[in-house]
Amino acid sequence: MSASTYLAYDYPLLSVFWSMLWFFLWIMWFVLLFRVVVDIFRDDAMSGWGKAGWLVFTILLPFLGVFVYVIARGKNMGHREVAQARAQQQAFDSYIRETAKGGGTTSVDELAKLSEIRAKGDITDAEFARAKELVLSGHGSGTASADVAASSRR
């Protein structure tokens, strides 16, 4: 055994340090391996044969394959990841906007619609009062003005 090996066994804390270092290096290696494999499948510009070739290379010779991939295509890995993150953020933002925009009507909106319908003369004051009670009680929110308008057309 070498002198550094004896040093590690003479000092148990140093032994624990080296064990943890190797453990986390292995974790970092697997994270890098999985990121490379995900990037191989994420790249839309690469042909199917190119993807298959890189995948076989990284599976058969994992250390060499991953390091060659990172050297050859590492710069674009970051660009593809950023582009995917932006696309996901834009999709999420548009979903939030659509959900917030079509989020139903409030009682104020319902009362405004009811007063417009009454101003046109499509409903009577009694029907307006009944629909207003429904809206204010919360039972007819979202449907009171439509129900009153439909009943007045009959």
Side-chain angles (χ1 to χ4, degrees), residues 69-154:
Y69 186 86
V70 168
I71 290 169
R73 302 180 54 92
K75 181 179 179 183
N76 293 331
M77 280 177 68
H79 294 304
R80 283 187 291 276
E81 189 169 344
V82 167
Q84 182 188 16
R86 284 184 182 152
Q88 285 178 342
Q89 185 65 41
Q90 288 174 350
F92 179 73
D93 290 345
S94 67
Y95 171 75
I96 293 296
R97 282 189 203 99
E98 290 296 320
T99 304
K101 192 184 305 181
T105 58
T106 63
S107 59
V108 174
D109 296 332
E110 287 291 318
L111 290 173
K113 287 178 188 177
L114 283 172
S115 66
E116 288 176 16
I117 293 171
R118 185 180 66 171
K120 289 180 188 176
D122 291 340
I123 61 173
T124 64
D125 288 337
E127 290 173 328
F128 175 77
R130 187 174 55 107
K132 182 178 172 184
E133 283 182 30
L134 283 173
V135 169
L136 292 177
S137 68
H139 296 295
S141 181
T143 59
S145 61
D147 291 343
V148 170
S151 68
S152 67
R153 290 185 191 132
R154 291 182 197 156

